[in-house]
């Protein structure tokens, strides 16, 4: 099993970048911060977290209190509020990520430490993208993978073309990215 520890203390390239699009959801972002602060130092050192605020007018991501002891974290903010512009937020996160591997998901999807540990340690094929099984936060009932949560390389993300920002303002078009992804790569479902 590969070590999750970085090679150098400050500038190590993370094994995985978590990318979250955010819009007016301080309670959920606060819960995310609380969960991430509980990760072991080994996991915190192996990941970076990027939150891209889609121009929240009232509760911007940077104003949500952050506990001490978070993994490396960056918050970006889009200046112009365009409805349903999470595609631009995801593209910004993917662009800014330092890791070769991206885990893109919604702000209301909490990633448990055990899942991160498994994703980092598992053999991954750079030509595939991985969809993730999920359970309710306060339960264990397995659910189908979410349509816009996936693990893939940064290079695959951009070879797919990233998310199409021409669809900003339209809700529910996440399947379009997945459709283009399936033309470029094989989808592998993970439990």
């Amino acid at each position: 099993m590969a070590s999750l520890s970085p090679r150098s203390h400050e500038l190590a390239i993370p094994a995985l970048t978590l990318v979250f699009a955010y819009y007016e959801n301080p309670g959920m972002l606060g819960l995310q911060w609380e969960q991430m602060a509980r990760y072991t130092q080994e996991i915190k050192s192996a990941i970076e977290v990027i939150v891209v605020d889609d121009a929240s007018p009232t509760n911007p991501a940077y104003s949500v209190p952050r506990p001490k002891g978070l993994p490396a974290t960056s918050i970006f903010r889009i200046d112009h509020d365009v409805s349903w512009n999470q595609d631009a937020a995801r593209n910004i996160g993917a662009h800014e990520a330092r890791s070769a591997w991206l885990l893109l998901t919604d702000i209301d999807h909490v990633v448990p430490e055990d899942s991160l540990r498994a994703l980092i340690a598992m053999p991954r094929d750079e030509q595939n993208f991985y969809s993730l099984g999920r359970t309710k936060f306060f339960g264990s009932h397995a659910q189908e993978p979410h349509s816009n949560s996936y693990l893939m390389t940064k290079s695959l993300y951009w070879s797919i073309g990233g998310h199409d920002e021409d669809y900003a303002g339209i809700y529910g078009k996440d399947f379009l990215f997945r459709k283009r992804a399936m033309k470029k790569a094989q989808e592998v479902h993970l439990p």
Side-chain angles (χ1 to χ4, degrees):
M1 179 197 244
S3 171
L4 301 178
S5 301
R7 287 185 212 131
S8 69
H9 180 54
E10 194 83 34
L11 297 175
I13 301 298
L16 185 65
T17 299
L18 277 74
V19 176
F20 295 99
Y22 170 89
Y23 187 80
E24 288 293 326
N25 199 341
M28 195 61 228
L29 182 54
L31 177 65
Q32 289 281 6
W33 294 144
E34 289 173 21
Q35 295 300 311
M36 290 177 200
R38 293 184 183 129
Y39 292 163
T40 61
Q41 189 56 45
E42 182 181 27
I43 291 296
K44 289 178 191 177
S45 297
I47 66 171
E48 74 173 329
V49 178
I50 296 177
V51 176
V52 183
D53 184 336
D54 185 14
S56 299
T58 308
N59 298 293
Y62 66 78
S63 70
V64 177
R66 291 182 294 283
K68 292 182 180 180
L70 290 174
T73 302
S74 298
I75 298 173
F76 296 88
R77 180 174 165 78
I78 297 172
D79 289 333
H80 183 68
D81 192 3
V82 175
S83 296
W84 303 110
N85 198 25
Q86 67 270 20
D87 295 336
R90 289 186 183 110
N91 286 343
I92 291 167
H95 175 76
E96 295 295 334
R98 293 185 305 125
S99 173
W101 284 89
L102 307 173
L103 175 55
L104 299 109
T105 191
D106 288 343
I107 197 69
D108 61 346
H109 295 185
V110 175
V111 184
E113 179 173 340
D114 289 344
S115 296
L116 289 171
R117 186 177 303 283
L119 292 173
I120 291 168
M122 75 178 212
R124 297 168 286 193
D125 185 334
E126 295 179 6
Q127 303 304 312
N128 294 336
F129 70 98
Y130 299 85
S131 56
L132 311 165
R134 56 195 174 121
T135 59
K136 293 261 185 206
F137 190 73
F138 296 109
S140 59
H141 178 68
Q143 296 188 352
E144 290 295 315
H146 195 269
S147 62
N148 59 5
S149 294
Y150 31 79
L151 173 73
M152 66 178 55
T153 64
K154 186 175 179 174
S155 62
L156 177 59
Y157 182 89
W158 292 116
S159 76
I160 294 166
H163 279 272
D164 190 340
E165 296 179 37
D166 288 343
Y167 290 100
I170 302 170
Y171 177 76
K173 74 268 184 229
D174 303 312
F175 73 95
L176 296 172
F177 177 81
R178 183 172 298 278
K179 188 175 178 179
R180 286 187 293 120
M182 292 178 75
K183 290 180 181 178
K184 286 269 186 189
Q186 181 178 351
E187 180 177 10
V188 177
H189 296 282
L190 299 175

